[in-house]
Amino acid sequence: MKLQSLVLAAAAATALTMTTAFAVPAGTWSIAAGAHYVDPKSDNGTLDNGLSVDVDGDIQPTISGEYFIANNVGVELLAALPFHHDFDLNSADGTQVLTGKTQHLPPTLSVQYHFDSDNMPMNVKPFVGVGVNYTTFFKERISNGGDLDLDDSVGVAGHVGLDIPFAPTEAFRIDARYMDIKTDATLDGSDIGEIDISPWAYGIAFVKQF
């Protein structure tokens, strides 16, 4: 079973049993440092020239900061080192025609709700969030030597996860994020269609509250 299914199921189950006690007080800061694997969706679109796009995944270090504007409610900003993606352009019969690569940065701003840990195994603290993702692409390359350009993308983002405390202000985090990332592609100045990456990102991190 994929990590996203496990995290979603755990978050849903604990949401049904949450109490009215506060998990995190307003005014708290937290920092999470770890890594995420960006796993693009399986069908990344077909360009105007009839070639289908297949984008691979990548893992990079990530860091996020969260400020709790109310009890249990935080605003989080996620940042990362650039993700590197190779991609194939394939004909209708699956034959590879061209290859390419790009890098991107996907800063994501989310509003999150952290459930209370009362009566939860190991005092785990589930959370859910929704927000907006901005992705900027750079260092685009394509094997035919053409001038490839990928437009920046803005889309919705979702977030679910579990914090597993091992000290009063420290925890181990596992999470899954969905990011709606679609980019218009231009080759040698001509529009060639849209590439739909829209990945799930699976992460682990160390979390410290202040």
Side-chain angles (χ1 to χ4, degrees):
M1 182 181 294
K2 287 188 176 181
L3 176 60
Q4 74 217 59
S5 300
L6 292 173
V7 176
L8 287 167
T14 52
L16 296 176
T17 58
M18 71 177 186
T19 70
T20 58
F22 295 128
V24 185
T28 298
W29 283 92
S30 73
I31 294 177
H36 279 80
Y37 174 70
V38 171
D39 184 21
K41 60 175 294 190
S42 58
D43 179 7
N44 303 124
T46 300
L47 301 179
D48 294 345
N49 56 12
L51 298 180
S52 63
V53 186
D54 182 19
V55 183
D56 74 353
D58 188 34
I59 185 170
Q60 291 293 335
T62 55
I63 188 168
S64 65
E66 185 171 10
Y67 178 72
F68 286 79
I69 58 175
N71 293 327
N72 294 349
V73 180
V75 176
E76 183 211 52
L77 178 63
L78 172 72
L81 291 181
F83 288 90
H84 300 244
H85 294 284
D86 294 329
F87 60 86
D88 297 331
L89 301 182
N90 303 318
S91 62
D93 63 1
T95 302
Q96 183 187 87
V97 177
L98 294 169
T99 63
K101 60 181 59 180
T102 186
Q103 297 183 36
H104 75 81
L105 287 171
T108 303
L109 185 66
S110 301
V111 176
Q112 306 192 140
Y113 184 84
H114 294 251
F115 298 104
D116 183 54
S117 62
D118 286 2
N119 303 317
M120 296 295 102
M122 300 173 59
N123 291 321
V124 298
K125 297 180 179 180
F127 61 87
V128 296
V130 64
V132 61
N133 165 261
Y134 172 78
T135 297
T136 182
F137 295 89
F138 53 98
K139 293 188 176 179
E140 302 97 323
R141 299 286 188 274
I142 194 164
S143 58
N144 68 356
D147 181 17
L148 176 67
D149 182 69
L150 302 177
D151 288 350
D152 293 352
S153 168
V154 178
V156 68
H159 192 198
V160 293
L162 294 171
D163 286 341
I164 306 170
F166 57 86
T169 60
E170 299 174 347
F172 174 76
R173 173 173 292 177
I174 58 173
D175 68 347
R177 299 173 182 268
Y178 172 78
M179 300 176 182
D180 180 26
I181 301 176
K182 299 181 178 70
T183 176
D184 291 325
T186 302
L187 183 61
D188 296 328
S190 299
D191 294 337
I192 58 172
E194 181 183 75
I195 299 175
D196 185 0
I197 300 174
S198 296
W200 279 91
Y202 309 112
I204 57 174
F206 165 76
V207 183
K208 174 70 174 178
Q209 290 184 357
F210 302 91

